[in-house]
Amino acid sequence: MGESSEDLQQSFFRRHWEGYKEFWAERFSFLDNYSRFIKRDKPLPSWSSFDVQEFIASDPVHGPTLQTAREAVNFGLTGSVIGAVSTAGVAWKYSRSLHGAGLSFLAGGVFGWTFGHEVANHWLQLYRLDTMAAQVKFMEWWERKCEGRS
């Protein structure tokens, strides 16, 4: 006569699951830029700082953007260290709890990293640059360079 209740329930959950996946796929659509570099049969070899500097020197459009994005990492690292040490120190001073200080260390590191990147975003004016395009251009350049070696 029709579908059983199990079929209806499965389709109900399947519909919601597909909607959930579609929602998050739309939110993380920027990852599609990197999918062809990540989902390769043979992964790209690692690159060194020298290779990155060679790209920066060779590409007058995306090179300076990539250089600025690499400088922003130092802000994140500095913020992470300051956040981790200060929050763990305060937690240890007032609680003398090792697990509390450890969790504060981890949380402070994450919060400091985030805050450091926000400072870098404004200090280096990263909001004016397309850093993702520069990273993708570097990956394309590195892919071409590695294929030339083989």
Side-chain angles (χ1 to χ4, degrees):
M1 199 152 108
E3 300 175 334
S4 68
S5 64
E6 187 177 322
D7 291 338
L8 287 174
Q9 191 176 27
Q10 184 181 14
S11 65
F12 172 79
F13 287 121
R14 176 154 293 163
R15 271 186 311 199
H16 280 70
W17 175 249
E18 292 301 322
Y20 181 79
K21 285 189 342 186
E22 183 178 320
F23 174 81
W24 285 110
E26 183 180 312
R27 298 301 181 274
F28 287 99
S29 62
F30 65 90
L31 294 175
D32 293 339
N33 294 334
Y34 298 110
S35 64
R36 70 172 205 236
F37 304 114
I38 296 171
K39 298 177 182 178
R40 293 172 47 99
D41 293 333
K42 182 181 174 191
L44 288 172
S46 298
W47 56 82
S48 65
S49 294
F50 176 76
D51 297 318
V52 176
Q53 292 300 328
E54 184 180 344
F55 171 77
I56 290 169
S58 69
D59 191 336
V61 176
H62 297 288
T65 302
L66 187 64
Q67 177 69 34
T68 305
R70 287 174 58 87
E71 291 171 9
V73 172
N74 294 330
F75 283 81
L77 288 173
T78 303
S80 184
V81 168
I82 292 171
V85 171
S86 63
T87 56
V90 168
W92 182 254
K93 179 180 179 183
Y94 290 109
S95 72
R96 297 284 185 205
S97 168
L98 185 60
H99 68 280
L103 289 173
S104 295
F105 183 82
L106 292 174
V110 171
F111 299 148
W113 179 269
T114 305
F115 188 71
H117 270 281
E118 284 300 313
V119 169
N121 191 26
H122 293 289
W123 189 277
L124 300 173
Q125 298 179 350
L126 292 177
Y127 52 85
R128 293 183 177 184
L129 305 173
D130 190 0
T131 56
M132 185 176 293
Q135 292 170 355
V136 169
K137 290 294 181 184
F138 170 75
M139 295 295 285
E140 289 172 350
W141 175 83
W142 183 243
E143 186 177 41
R144 283 192 310 270
K145 186 174 179 181
C146 290
E147 287 173 356
R149 289 182 190 168
S150 301

